[in-house]
């Protein structure tokens, strides 16, 4: 009896052309990460629920718990699927601290799982591409400057369109709130971080309900409204008349990030003092990235500095990291933007089969081409050549190879040009060697 297939929302399953786009993004991101000296690691999917649930206001609501369907007597510690890659990486550093060389530069490209209601840009299973720099005991601030420049390098090689990496420093917010006499700094941070979701009036109401005065709430909103393309935000914050040593420290650190950004990736970074990030482990610079024209979609690349996430009570490993939400980004570019690939297969050449008796010769042609790095298919049937050309055309394969005792020929089925070819020397144009990305 056939069973009915029921889709499960919140999971991306791409068609072949879309999967080629995804692989191109992943390969490009990996290449850039390695160009900047990051080493690859891979961590397990499961972490103790206790560790996962200690990372923010809503973290415990998002964890997928995992248990055996049979034979679970309750003695196994509660486990959950990781909802990001930073928490498992911090654990990885603690477990391997004696074997790693610091500063440790790591990249990690893996799935994560989040138990939230699937909606536009938010999935139950998604791929993240992270980089982190971790040091033993003390982390210099220049690493906070470096990470957004790595992302700018990666995005410059991908068809993303105009975007902004929005940068803030939580020390600015925390020092500003302390300077105002606010006691619940963490709660105020989380409330202000919802500014884009509930608006200024909504934030004001929540802050007043939490016990802030009208003046304090107003000053918090004034700070959050500051946004500059350079380090001129420093003067605007000073003009608000709030003082605190932690505020001074944060302003200096963010100014260094913005100055470097304007030198090495002009026009990409924006100081946005409303950015706070919802997870509690961030302690310094924080990043969020939006695609211009799609600001309502939210951040597609985010992260920040954390000083105490990787700590066992004896030694602390401060770090800074940034994560590209690959699935989130591709959900926008593919599903809404129509980004696709020029063909549904990596194959650039289809080797025709004259008849089944000569299939072995077609296979030898394919082997010779593959040996030189040319992705090649052999036709599945010795049909009329018109049918075999049609087979290639439907898949976007640009060239059809015709073996012959009188000399092989290859046809560009797009232009109709057909020329003699040697299996040991012929190559397609570089642009046809691999599928290309196509915008509508």
């Amino acid at each position: 009896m056939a069973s009915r297939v029921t889709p499960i929302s919140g999971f991306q399953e791409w068609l072949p052309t879309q999967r080629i786009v995804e692989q191109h993004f992943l390969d490009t991101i990996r290449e850039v990460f390695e160009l900047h000296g990051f080493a690859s690691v891979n961590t397990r999917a499961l972490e103790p629920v206790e560790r996962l649930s200690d990372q923010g206001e809503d973290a415990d609501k998002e964890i997928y718990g995992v248990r055996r369907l049979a034979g679970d007597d309750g003695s196994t510690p509660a486990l959950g699927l990781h909802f990001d890659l930073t928490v498992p990486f911090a654990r990885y550093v603690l477990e391997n601290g004696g074997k790693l060389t610091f500063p440790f530069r790591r990249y990690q490209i893996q799935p994560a799982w989040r138990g939230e209601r699937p909606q536009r840009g938010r999935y139950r299973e998604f791929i993240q591409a992270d980089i982190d720099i971790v040091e033993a005991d003390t982390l210099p601030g220049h690493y906070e400057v470096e990470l957004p420049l790595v992302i700018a390098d990666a995005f410059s090689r991908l068809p993303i369109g105009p975007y902004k990496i929005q940068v803030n420093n939580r020390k600015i917010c925390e020092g500003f709130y302390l300077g105002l006499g606010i006691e619940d700094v963490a709660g105020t941070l989380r409330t202000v971080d919802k500014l884009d979701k509930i608006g200024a009036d909504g934030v004001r109401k929540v802050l007043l309900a939490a016990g802030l005065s009208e003046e304090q709430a107003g000053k918090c909103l004034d700070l959050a409204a500051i946004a500059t393309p350079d380090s001129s935000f420093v003067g605007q914050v000073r003009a608000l008349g709030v003082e605190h040593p932690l505020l001074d420290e944060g302003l200096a650190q963010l100014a260094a990030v913005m100055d470097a950004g304007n030198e090495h990736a002009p026009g990409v970074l924006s100081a946005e003092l409303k950015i706070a990030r919802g997870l509690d482990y961030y302690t310094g610079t924080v990043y969020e990235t939006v695609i211009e024209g799609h600001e309502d979609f939210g951040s597609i690349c985010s992260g920040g500095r954390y000083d105490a996430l990787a700590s066992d009570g004896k030694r602390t490993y401060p770090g800074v990291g940034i994560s590209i939400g690959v699935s989130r980004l591709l959900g926008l570019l593919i599903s809404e933007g129509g980004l696709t690939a020029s063909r549904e297969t990596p194959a650039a050449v289809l080797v025709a089969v004259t008849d089944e008796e000569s299939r072995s010769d077609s296979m030898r042609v394919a082997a010779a081409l593959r040996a030189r790095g040319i992705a090649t298919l052999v036709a599945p049937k010795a049909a009329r050549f018109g049918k075999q050309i049609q087979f290639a055309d439907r898949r976007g394969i640009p060239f059809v190879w015709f073996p012959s005792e009188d000399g092989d020929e290859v046809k560009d089925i797009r232009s109709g040009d057909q020329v003699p070819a040697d299996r040991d020397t012929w190559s397609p144009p570089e642009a046809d060697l691999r599928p290309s990305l196509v915008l509508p």
Side-chain angles (χ1 to χ4, degrees):
M1 180 178 177
S3 60
R4 182 179 178 182
V5 176
T6 304
I8 303 176
S9 62
F11 295 84
Q12 287 178 333
E13 292 185 330
W14 298 119
L15 294 172
T17 51
Q18 298 168 331
R19 172 62 174 155
I20 286 172
V21 174
E22 182 181 56
Q23 287 180 306
H24 177 83
F25 270 62
L26 294 173
D27 290 344
T28 301
I29 291 167
R30 174 186 55 79
E31 179 184 1
V32 171
F33 287 173
E34 292 183 356
L35 282 172
H36 287 262
F38 291 86
S40 176
V41 305
N42 195 77
T43 59
R44 68 196 186 205
L46 299 178
E47 297 292 334
V49 168
E50 180 181 6
R51 180 166 181 80
L52 292 171
S53 63
D54 192 31
Q55 306 305 328
E57 179 183 37
D58 298 321
D60 57 341
K61 301 176 184 177
E62 299 179 342
I63 299 168
Y64 273 119
V66 177
R67 64 178 178 84
R68 294 175 60 187
L69 293 179
D72 189 351
D73 60 4
S75 61
T76 304
L79 299 174
L81 293 169
H82 57 236
F83 57 82
D84 72 0
L85 301 182
T86 302
V87 174
F89 173 61
R91 186 265 312 157
Y92 175 93
V93 170
L94 289 175
E95 289 186 3
N96 297 284
K99 303 173 186 177
L100 300 175
T101 302
F102 295 95
F104 180 50
R105 302 168 67 92
R106 148 275 197 186
Y107 82 85
Q108 189 172 348
I109 301 176
Q110 279 185 242
W113 297 267
R114 192 162 291 178
E116 60 182 357
R117 182 174 63 86
Q119 52 188 299
R120 181 176 180 249
R122 304 189 75 87
Y123 308 99
R124 290 170 169 163
E125 180 183 61
F126 49 94
I127 297 173
Q128 290 189 189
D130 287 22
I131 49 174
D132 285 77
I133 303 175
V134 175
E135 184 58 280
D137 300 320
T138 304
L139 181 76
H142 63 79
Y143 292 125
E144 297 173 59
V145 175
E146 181 179 353
L147 290 197
L149 301 180
V150 179
I151 299 303
D153 189 0
F155 283 4
S156 71
R157 303 165 190 245
L158 295 168
I160 292 173
Y163 66 95
K164 287 286 184 185
I165 301 178
Q166 301 174 331
V167 192
N168 193 11
N169 192 301
R170 283 177 70 139
K171 292 178 182 177
I172 294 175
C173 302
E174 292 175 7
F176 191 85
Y177 301 157
L178 290 171
L180 287 172
I182 297 173
E183 296 181 0
D184 184 9
V185 171
T188 304
L189 270 171
R190 285 194 291 266
T191 299
V192 174
D193 194 44
K194 299 174 182 177
L195 186 62
D196 287 339
K197 295 181 180 179
I198 63 176
D201 289 340
V203 168
R204 185 187 302 274
K205 290 178 181 178
V206 175
L207 292 177
L208 293 176
L212 272 64
S213 68
E214 285 282 359
E215 182 182 2
Q216 289 173 325
K219 290 282 190 180
C220 289
L221 288 169
D222 289 341
L223 179 71
I226 295 174
T228 67
D230 49 33
S231 56
S232 61
F233 66 88
V234 175
Q236 295 186 33
V237 175
R238 296 295 189 201
L240 296 177
V242 178
E243 297 184 1
H244 194 276
L246 190 61
L247 172 61
D248 298 339
E249 188 177 338
L251 289 172
Q253 291 174 357
L254 184 57
V257 172
M258 292 303 301
D259 290 342
N262 280 323
E263 177 181 353
H264 297 284
V268 170
L269 270 63
S270 175
E272 303 270 350
L273 303 196
K274 65 181 179 181
I275 304 299
R277 305 291 300 140
L279 295 172
D280 288 343
Y281 52 67
Y282 291 121
T283 56
T285 302
V286 288
Y287 319 97
E288 288 192 352
T289 308
V290 295
I291 297 180
E292 294 184 10
H294 297 278
E295 288 81 1
D296 62 325
F297 190 73
S299 178
I300 48 90
C301 176
S302 56
R305 176 173 178 139
Y306 47 91
D307 283 302
L309 182 60
S311 177
D312 57 8
K314 298 179 181 178
R315 194 168 193 184
T316 298
Y317 300 92
V320 59
I322 194 166
S323 171
I324 302 172
V326 179
S327 297
R328 182 173 174 80
L329 175 59
L330 291 178
L332 179 65
L333 297 179
I334 294 176
S335 300
E336 299 185 27
L339 182 62
T340 187
S342 58
R343 55 185 188 256
E344 66 179 43
T345 171
V349 180
L350 176 75
V351 181
V353 178
T354 304
D355 50 51
E356 289 303 328
E357 288 72 22
S358 64
R359 177 174 290 276
S360 59
D361 189 44
S362 296
M363 293 176 66
R364 283 189 285 271
V365 172
L369 295 175
R370 290 171 187 147
R372 293 189 296 110
I374 302 170
T376 306
L377 280 179
V378 177
K381 295 180 181 180
R384 296 193 308 272
F385 283 160
K387 289 285 189 181
Q388 296 187 55
I389 292 172
Q390 188 179 61
F391 177 93
D393 185 50
R394 285 176 176 171
R395 289 156 181 79
I397 300 172
F399 296 96
V400 175
W401 189 287
F402 300 102
S404 171
E405 293 181 358
D406 299 327
D408 293 359
E409 294 189 347
V410 65
K411 182 184 185 73
D412 183 335
I413 65 173
R414 298 162 300 183
S415 66
D417 294 339
Q418 185 166 325
V419 297
D422 185 330
R423 68 189 68 178
D424 295 320
T425 59
W426 178 88
S427 292
E430 182 67 27
D432 291 326
L433 194 56
R434 295 172 184 83
S436 58
L437 303 192
V438 179
L439 285 167

